[in-house]
Amino acid sequence: MNARTQTATAAQITPELRRWIIAQAEAGCEPAAVLQAMRAAGWSENVTTQALEETLAEHLRSQGVAADALIAQASRPVPEPDVEGEPVWLDAGDRRVALLGTVALPRIVIFGGFLSDEECEALKAQAAPRLKRSLTVDTRTGGEELNDDRTSAGMFFTRGESPLVERIEARIARLLNWPVERGEGIQVLRYGVGAEYKPHYDYFDPAAPGTAKLTERGGQRVGTLVMYLDEPLRGGATTFPEAGISVAPRRGNAVFFSYPMPHPATRTLHGGAPVLEGEKWIATKWLREGPY
């Protein structure tokens, strides 16, 4: 940042803004939550970071709270589609994708027509012979476990496993401005009647003993893309209960959400509501902070 930018940024950090930041801290808000709120209100990246460093961090340190680590995490880059200017359509390289909606906090972007009907059917056909009861990450050990909260059947493609998978991964990278090598393999899941995935976070809990093992390769997860391959007749929405948001599982559409720090302040608690009638298929792509 040059001297002119520093001066302009400092001018935006008004006494009123400083008082508001301190009031949030005294009300018990964590640094990450304050940063997210400022971003959602339209403050620029420079202003939010500098304001926290100069005001919130100093205040919290005076209270014996270590704010620096959370601020550093909340300021790191995350996948983000280019929605500047509120476009109706986005360029995904080999395909135009509709922009159906955005939410600032939690950061959610909903896409229409991300996959064609033919791509949905092809992914299902390639995945079906390999489906097994879905496991969840065990953050105690860094392994996997059966969990009653998740009652789907699933499988993983290796990255670039087939021309179809490679094409979809390139589309994701182009749309979300995140390199292919920073993504896990695509997971395909099938949910029958009554199947669900109860609300959870996709990042790995920093306090859990198995997280160091889970993040050895690629670091933390920082974003999730859920692609809908087939829609049930009723139920099966992707829900964000803390934000009161529900995304219908329409075939070919997708929902993306990001989380710049592994913290509940991102408000990315989410789940797959029970399928009430029919069958739901999805493909999930988790994005990491580094090469995976």
Side-chain angles (χ1 to χ4, degrees):
M1 188 186 299
N2 59 36
R4 180 177 297 179
T5 303
Q6 287 180 324
T7 301
T9 301
Q12 296 180 64
I13 305 175
T14 63
E16 290 78 11
L17 177 58
R18 293 180 187 276
R19 285 195 292 270
W20 178 84
I21 291 172
I22 292 173
Q24 304 313 300
E26 291 177 340
C29 295
E30 302 246 12
V34 177
L35 180 58
Q36 290 282 85
M38 291 176 68
R39 283 174 170 167
W43 292 95
S44 71
E45 186 71 30
N46 287 340
V47 172
T48 56
T49 302
Q50 186 172 335
L52 281 170
E53 289 175 350
E54 294 183 358
T55 306
L56 180 58
E58 180 181 349
H59 175 75
L60 291 180
R61 278 194 292 270
S62 72
Q63 305 298 312
V65 178
D68 293 346
L70 274 178
I71 292 170
Q73 289 177 336
S75 301
R76 67 186 176 181
V78 294
E80 175 67 17
D82 183 6
V83 296
E84 186 73 25
E86 301 181 0
V88 175
W89 296 95
L90 300 173
D91 179 10
D94 65 335
R95 186 177 180 83
R96 280 203 321 165
V97 174
L99 178 61
L100 299 184
T102 64
V103 180
L105 184 63
R107 184 49 172 161
I108 299 173
V109 183
I110 304 171
F111 303 112
F114 183 83
L115 298 172
S116 68
D117 287 344
E118 293 76 18
E119 288 171 331
C120 290
E121 284 302 309
L123 275 178
K124 288 169 55 181
Q126 291 183 19
R130 294 156 58 181
L131 293 176
K132 296 180 180 180
R133 169 68 189 274
S134 298
L135 302 176
T136 61
V137 169
D138 184 354
T139 53
R140 297 167 299 178
T141 64
E144 295 180 312
E145 64 176 350
L146 281 174
N147 190 323
D148 290 339
D149 288 349
R150 191 182 202 186
T151 51
S152 59
M155 57 76 65
F156 275 96
F157 289 108
T158 58
R159 206 169 58 213
E161 177 175 323
S162 69
L164 172 64
V165 169
E166 190 172 24
R167 182 171 74 246
I168 293 171
E169 288 173 334
R171 189 180 303 161
I172 294 169
R174 172 71 173 264
L175 191 64
L176 300 181
N177 296 298
W178 207 248
V180 170
E181 61 270 18
R182 293 189 181 187
E184 299 180 26
I186 292 174
Q187 183 185 42
V188 172
L189 297 166
R190 181 186 66 200
Y191 291 81
V193 173
E196 65 177 320
Y197 194 176
K198 293 181 180 178
H200 60 282
Y201 296 102
D202 280 352
Y203 57 74
F204 306 118
D205 181 359
T211 291
K213 180 179 179 181
L214 291 166
T215 55
E216 280 178 349
R217 179 184 171 198
Q220 267 287 1
R221 287 175 174 169
V222 291
T224 302
L225 181 72
V226 178
M227 300 163 275
Y228 302 107
L229 308 182
D230 215 344
E231 59 194 57
L233 296 174
R234 293 190 300 123
T238 302
T239 63
F240 296 83
E242 293 180 336
I245 295 169
S246 179
V247 180
R250 295 296 304 271
R251 178 175 174 156
N253 289 1
V255 59
F256 164 74
F257 52 99
S258 62
Y259 27 98
M261 78 290 287
H263 194 279
T266 60
R267 301 187 72 191
T268 53
L269 184 72
H270 67 286
V275 172
L276 302 178
E277 184 178 358
E279 191 172 70
K280 179 180 78 169
W281 287 69
I282 65 171
T284 301
K285 182 74 167 181
W286 286 292
L287 305 169
R288 296 290 188 111
E289 61 184 335
Y292 181 77

